[in-house]
Amino acid sequence: WGLRWPRARPRSSFPSGSQLPCFHGSSTIRNLKERFHMNMTEEQLQLLIEQMVDGSMRSITTKLYDGFQYLTNGIM
């Protein structure tokens, strides 16, 4: 691919002591860390993203959604 990925992944800890209700509960912070793949190295993360993009590009549902967006909004 030769693509360069932006470093948009959060590097700081999540607000476990937050007063916001959405951060209460034992699984919320863990689920966020899993979703952002905080346990992966930059190289592992880049490989995962490339695999996700490749899978999406070959997906019939992606093609169907792209066609829908084109027909309804002129977006391609």
Side-chain angles (χ1 to χ4, degrees):
W1 284 82
L3 299 175
R4 299 195 67 185
W5 302 106
R7 296 182 188 268
R9 185 168 52 151
R11 289 290 181 194
S12 61
S13 61
F14 288 96
S16 58
S18 174
Q19 298 301 315
L20 296 172
C22 59
F23 288 109
H24 290 232
S26 61
S27 64
T28 303
I29 301 299
R30 184 182 67 246
N31 290 342
L32 281 171
K33 287 180 179 179
E34 287 175 11
R35 184 175 188 150
F36 285 109
H37 304 285
M38 299 297 288
N39 61 332
M40 290 186 165
T41 65
E42 291 294 322
E43 292 79 20
Q44 291 170 327
L45 187 60
Q46 183 172 346
L47 180 61
L48 174 66
I49 292 170
E50 288 174 357
Q51 291 170 343
M52 292 170 72
V53 169
D54 185 54
S56 178
M57 289 174 57
R58 291 184 282 113
S59 170
I60 186 65
T61 55
T62 299
K63 290 176 181 31
L64 291 171
Y65 185 73
D66 286 348
F68 172 78
Q69 286 292 338
Y70 180 73
L71 291 172
T72 60
N73 301 312
I75 298 172
M76 188 58 162

